[in-house]
Amino acid sequence: MSGPDGDMWSGLRVSYEGIADLADAAFSTTIEEPIIPQFLPQRKWLWRQWRGTIIRRVLPREVLLNAIVACAVSAFFTLEGPGYAWRHELLKVTATVSSVWVLASGLVTFTLSFFLSQSFDLWRRVYSVTRRVQGRLNDLGLLTATSAERDENGDYTDDAEEMLATVARYVRLFNVLLYASVTTRFAPLKTPSGLQRLVKSGHLTADEREALLQSSLGHNIVLEWIFTLLNSGVADGRLGGGNTLQLVLANKVTELRATYASIPDALSGRMPLAYTQLVQILVDVLVISAPLALIHSVGGFGAIVGTALITLFHASILNLAKMFLDPFNNNEYGDAGLSINVLTLMQETNIGSERWRKGAQWVPPATRLRPTAVEERQKKRGTTLAGLFNLGGI
């Protein structure tokens, strides 16, 4: 059974070639699809859509099945033949069913509407968290790119360039391992085979892979690597800004940790089983009993059409609500177009990891340090490094 922490057996069911394809897609910088299907507000355009809609799931299955049941019920009560007299008398009993059904339908509709609103609230919260995680990672990229050490020409120093490239690689690695821990699709990437593929692709070193396997902390240990690197950069001068920058970076990192930790919390507490089961039973009883409730008041044909419409509306809302409760489509219950496209999230973050570093590679002369300030900073950095070495007994 799959859960919000991914699929523990996925690495055994996916071939090495499949893992390679997953890794290539996860670290790609080419965005092929939007994070969720987009739409136009025009009525005509909306009526023509099929892919990525709830109608695609409900119409060919539940609506058709219940319409067939309604046809059978209508034929039983209305067609002449053997036993028609007692069947016709039995039709009068359905008037009572109709009265009870009308009373129950109001309760079911209210409960279903509330269930849908709560489900969408979960989906929206998870989506918002994924965007906040993405935002905090971009914040780290912006702060490091604009605070990195530069030479007298305003270009990054070699040490600063190397540090920024490492930060960007760790950001991509953290993001991929984060979503590998909360989705079944990308869960193979955090297995030993998946990590080995990342080493082969250059996204991870052999020592880093070993550390990940030994700690079993996944993306959490990568975040520690990021913060340790940033602290080292501030201490040895690769990042300017001193204690102020270090405090800002600490706030961003801790905010990032608190934000991404809420994703598995939300998924594990998405909705109590008893509540979901009750709503399922209410809707099933309502739509199954619809032919018996309608045939007395609207006749055979009306019962067929009415049952189809009632099934379409109620089953669509219920199925849509259950899909909202699985925002990453881990259970593969619904159409992929109804879930958050995690691959797109990864690819957007991959682009963002390099955006700030490349954007600040050249800055206008008016924004650069004065030549004398550059010399003073380099002297200060040398003094700082010497002090660090002495403290370490080197």
Side-chain angles (χ1 to χ4, degrees):
M1 180 178 179
S2 62
D5 292 328
D7 185 350
M8 62 182 296
W9 303 110
S10 58
L12 300 177
R13 291 197 299 266
V14 180
S15 65
Y16 190 73
E17 291 74 18
I19 291 178
D21 292 339
L22 272 181
D24 292 342
F27 285 92
S28 171
T29 55
T30 301
I31 300 175
E32 298 179 355
E33 296 180 343
I35 189 168
I36 59 174
Q38 303 300 297
F39 66 91
L40 297 176
Q42 287 79 8
R43 180 186 294 107
K44 183 184 295 187
W45 186 91
L46 289 171
W47 272 90
R48 291 201 307 264
Q49 301 313 300
W50 180 253
R51 183 179 181 275
T53 66
I54 194 64
I55 304 298
R56 179 183 180 181
R57 176 180 179 83
V58 174
L59 193 59
R61 300 171 59 181
E62 296 172 58
V63 174
L64 179 60
L65 176 61
N66 283 346
I68 293 174
V69 173
C71 288
V73 171
S74 177
F76 176 80
F77 283 110
T78 60
L79 291 182
E80 297 183 1
Y84 175 74
W86 71 267
R87 286 188 280 116
H88 187 70
E89 286 297 320
L90 186 61
L91 180 61
K92 298 177 182 178
V93 180
T94 61
T96 304
V97 177
S98 179
S99 300
V100 175
W101 188 87
V102 170
L103 293 175
S105 64
L107 172 63
V108 174
T109 302
F110 172 78
T111 304
L112 189 56
S113 299
F114 186 73
F115 186 70
L116 177 64
S117 67
Q118 294 296 302
S119 301
F120 180 69
D121 181 64
L122 170 76
W123 185 94
R124 194 68 197 177
R125 280 190 285 117
V126 172
Y127 175 80
S128 178
V129 169
T130 61
R131 286 307 196 185
R132 292 205 303 273
V133 169
Q134 194 176 58
R136 298 299 75 76
L137 292 174
N138 277 318
D139 288 345
L140 294 178
L142 172 63
L143 290 169
T144 53
T146 54
S147 303
E149 183 182 39
R150 298 177 184 274
D151 58 23
E152 62 276 4
N153 297 320
D155 299 322
Y156 295 133
T157 63
D158 292 340
D159 288 344
E161 180 78 38
E162 181 183 0
M163 181 204 64
L164 292 177
T166 303
V167 170
R169 181 171 66 85
Y170 282 164
V171 164
R172 294 190 294 272
L173 179 63
F174 164 83
N175 194 60
V176 169
L177 293 181
L178 168 62
Y179 288 111
S181 71
V182 295
T183 64
T184 54
R185 178 183 178 185
F186 294 99
L189 294 180
K190 63 186 180 71
T191 63
S193 297
L195 295 178
Q196 182 59 44
R197 176 61 193 183
L198 298 187
V199 172
K200 186 176 181 180
S201 302
H203 305 300
L204 192 65
T205 68
D207 290 340
E208 291 167 350
R209 175 183 180 272
E210 187 64 26
L212 284 168
L213 293 176
Q214 291 293 330
S215 68
S216 299
L217 292 176
H219 57 282
N220 294 292
I221 194 174
V222 179
L223 182 63
E224 293 181 304
W225 296 346
I226 293 174
F227 195 30
T228 302
L229 176 57
L230 297 179
N231 283 331
S232 299
V234 173
D236 61 23
R238 287 176 292 174
L239 288 176
N243 293 335
T244 301
L245 177 64
Q246 194 166 20
L247 180 60
V248 172
L249 291 173
N251 287 335
K252 292 297 182 182
V253 170
T254 53
E255 183 181 352
L256 173 62
R257 189 219 60 79
T259 301
Y260 75 70
S262 65
I263 296 178
D265 292 344
L267 294 178
S268 61
R270 53 185 181 172
M271 193 72 71
L273 167 63
Y275 187 16
T276 308
Q277 182 195 46
L278 176 61
V279 175
Q280 182 73 62
I281 292 173
L282 289 174
V283 172
D284 287 348
V285 171
L286 183 74
V287 299
I288 290 173
S289 60
L292 291 174
L294 296 175
I295 193 167
H296 180 269
S297 57
V298 297
F301 181 74
I304 297 171
V305 175
T307 298
L309 291 176
I310 289 169
T311 303
L312 174 64
F313 297 150
H314 287 79
S316 294
I317 294 175
L318 178 58
N319 279 277
L320 187 59
K322 288 190 288 187
M323 292 176 191
F324 282 149
L325 291 174
D326 186 20
F328 297 140
N329 198 29
N330 287 331
N331 301 124
E332 298 182 354
Y333 175 75
D335 193 310
L338 298 176
S339 59
I340 298 171
N341 194 327
V342 176
L343 179 58
T344 299
L345 271 175
M346 291 178 174
Q347 293 166 346
E348 289 177 349
T349 302
N350 295 340
I351 295 173
S353 68
E354 295 288 347
R355 176 190 298 125
W356 307 106
R357 177 174 69 91
K358 292 180 179 179
Q361 273 184 330
W362 181 91
V363 292
T367 66
R368 304 171 189 169
L369 281 175
R370 300 187 308 276
T372 55
V374 173
E375 295 177 2
E376 292 173 0
R377 185 171 177 177
Q378 291 175 343
K379 290 179 181 179
K380 183 178 179 181
R381 180 185 176 191
T383 303
T384 302
L385 288 174
L388 290 174
F389 290 151
N390 290 333
L391 287 174
I394 298 176

